[in-house]
Amino acid sequence: MEYTMYEPSILGAAADNIRQQREDRIKRKAEEASAGLGECARIFEKIGEKPLSEMQGIAYCLSAEEKNLLIPYMFSQMKAAQEGQADPQKVEDHVNKYISILTESSEKMPDDVVMDIYRGCQDNFKSPALKPLYKRLEKDDTFCDSLRRQSGQDAKELMHQFAEGSIAAYFNKLATAKTGQNGNYAQALEMVGVVKDTALYNECMVYFIVICNAEEYRKFKEEDLYEMAKDFDDDMKKKLLINMVKNLDTVQLRKYASLVELFEPVTGAKGSEKYISVMEDLAPQYQQRYAVWLNQFLITRMLGKTDVANFWMNYSSKISVQVHPCGSVILDFGKFVVIEIVETNTAFFYEMGYYKESVSPNIIDFETEKDLSGYLSGKTDMNAGMNWRRVHMGDWQYSVRDYISKYQ
């Protein structure tokens, strides 16, 4: 008779398989609850429709797993209300009932559940529907002990700041103090307990970019700063503009030229009453920095990230830049003017007096670069004095640099 040897690995694999199936089932239910779907979501919806007076005791009727699933469901409903996909008043009513369930049981919340609630609070920190939750959790010693251990912060104070609507400013203060030690505000936010990529984290980053210094600005990519600032109101945009020109020199500002697009509506056109009013809040040296930054923006916007743009960028602090309605770039050097035709990669140089008398009055109404280029080539005297035409080919940079050195 043959005997089959006992193989522990087979039982181990079976146990692992069962464990994985259970984890997959729990994960699937959590995803369904977050999406407002599945059996648990239907149960929670029915609970929400009951009067608040009937909530007492329900916490003891739900399993630990069901109560855990109630957390993502509750926050998903709040998100739906904020995005206009659910009735805000109905959601607020239901959330108040769910809160009473989550905080009724005297059982200790597992640490991971505490953090799930904490993350949800950070993602929905602007919602007034959560105020009852903050107040209840502030008084829940077991919850606060767990959160204090995991976040390293005074949990009762955190819940108080959430309830008062001042949590973003509170965390900004903590993180700013930490930044002095490690030099990285984003890392400091996480060190003080702000969960990365939550709505609260993003709000704190917004607070920071209007107060940070040159070292911190240099850690931001241009597109990241633009994304954070694009939805600012005019007052915040003005604060950002002022802080950046105070902390970054013109070379450093060049990296963030695209942001000037956000500031133009706030400052108005250069020389306008609105522009002058905004500039009054800046010392003369900072006004000059913004003027250079505006030049850099116009050069980049019209010429792109090209060799031609990089060349003119080197003179951005010595010129005044305008954009002709047809898309050409006009560079005023004081003693002479350069008209850069973008389409043909050609620059026309004119002595200032000749430009004002014979060129400027006649090019105002041109609608295309083709028309403007045709006029400059055929109707202006390219042999008079300082007048010159240069196509950007060969050693054009050397010859243009020589012209500028000679006549500037």
Side-chain angles (χ1 to χ4, degrees), residues 139-339:
K139 298 175 182 177
D140 190 320
D141 291 337
T142 56
F143 174 89
C144 288
D145 287 344
S146 173
L147 182 56
R148 178 183 52 77
R149 288 196 311 273
Q150 296 184 81
S151 69
Q153 300 299 325
D154 182 342
K156 289 186 180 295
E157 181 62 25
L158 290 182
M159 290 301 113
H160 174 72
Q161 295 292 337
F162 271 114
E164 292 298 310
S166 53
I167 189 64
Y170 178 75
F171 270 127
N172 181 62
K173 182 179 179 180
L174 294 179
T176 300
K178 287 281 186 185
T179 301
Q181 300 172 22
N182 63 27
N184 189 310
Y185 180 79
Q187 289 181 4
L189 277 179
E190 295 182 64
M191 288 175 62
V192 299
V194 182
V195 180
K196 189 174 182 178
D197 295 330
T198 59
L200 180 59
Y201 178 92
N202 295 335
E203 182 82 358
C204 289
M205 291 301 290
V206 165
Y207 266 85
F208 184 62
I209 67 172
V210 299
I211 62 167
C212 65
N213 58 30
E215 183 179 352
E216 283 294 335
Y217 276 128
R218 289 196 294 270
K219 295 173 185 176
F220 285 102
K221 295 180 180 178
E222 180 183 30
E223 57 269 27
D224 292 340
L225 266 184
Y226 186 97
E227 189 66 23
M228 283 188 279
K230 69 178 184 180
D231 294 324
F232 281 5
D233 60 26
D234 285 356
D235 184 58
M236 284 290 282
K237 287 177 181 175
K238 181 180 175 181
K239 288 179 180 178
L240 177 60
L241 183 162
I242 290 173
N243 196 62
M244 291 189 75
V245 296
K246 283 184 175 180
N247 283 279
L248 300 173
D249 61 32
T250 55
V251 175
Q252 295 165 336
L253 286 169
R254 177 176 170 177
K255 175 183 175 182
Y256 307 104
S258 67
L259 269 74
V260 177
E261 180 181 36
L262 304 177
F263 302 140
E264 276 194 308
V266 178
T267 64
K270 188 174 181 179
S272 67
E273 290 186 13
K274 189 175 184 181
Y275 183 94
I276 294 170
S277 176
V278 172
M279 291 300 114
E280 284 177 351
D281 291 335
L282 290 168
Q285 67 266 34
Y286 301 134
Q287 292 183 31
Q288 178 59 24
R289 279 188 190 177
Y290 181 68
V292 174
W293 200 14
L294 180 57
N295 287 341
Q296 293 170 341
F297 164 67
L298 293 175
I299 291 170
T300 303
R301 184 173 69 177
M302 303 313 299
L303 298 173
K305 294 183 178 180
T306 62
D307 289 342
V308 176
N310 289 334
F311 179 85
W312 293 124
M313 279 287 195
N314 294 325
Y315 298 95
S316 59
S317 62
K318 301 176 181 179
I319 59 177
S320 176
V321 179
Q322 292 180 311
V323 176
H324 190 278
C326 73
S328 293
V329 182
I330 302 174
L331 308 143
D332 182 346
F333 277 81
K335 294 182 180 180
F336 60 90
V337 172
V338 183
I339 301 178

Side-chain angles (χ1 to χ4, degrees), residues 50-56 97:
K50 293 180 176 294
L52 184 60
S53 58
E54 296 183 19
M55 290 300 105
Q56 189 172 358
K97 295 166 186 175

